[in-house]
Amino acid sequence: MSRSAGRAIVVVAPFLLAWGGVPGMFAVPADRLPSPLATPFGASGHADGFTGPGAFLSVVSALLLVPGAVAGGLAFRSRTPLGAQRARVAVAPGGRG
């Protein structure tokens, strides 16, 4: 396995693990979930909109798999050695203010 393939696997793994957990956690109480799921909640704590279970799983899958694929592709194509990337991360500006 090349270094870039190993790097891509490390980057993609958290996205795949999270995506694998969502359907599993969704399937356990599936018989107790309401048919339209309340998805966005306002400041008052009441539901502002509703989504069907199929649409919910589709959106969650897209929100996890698309960024994971993009990040994995970028990691695979990166030619910068890992040591240089670590130094860049170590000196990244902080958010104190």
Side-chain angles (χ1 to χ4, degrees), residues 55-96:
F56 174 78
L57 285 175
S58 299
V59 169
V60 169
S61 294
L63 289 175
L64 287 171
L65 294 178
V66 171
V70 170
L74 290 172
F76 184 77
R77 291 184 54 128
S78 176
R79 300 197 180 175
T80 308
L82 289 177
Q85 291 180 1
R86 286 186 192 122
R88 191 176 315 141
V89 171
V91 297
R96 291 190 171 187

Side-chain angles (χ1 to χ4, degrees), residues 14-53:
F15 291 97
L16 291 177
L17 289 172
W19 176 73
V22 169
M25 294 302 292
F26 190 79
V28 171
D31 58 338
R32 296 185 304 239
L33 292 173
S35 180
L37 299 171
T39 47
F41 290 88
S44 65
H46 298 291
D48 291 340
F50 297 90
T51 303

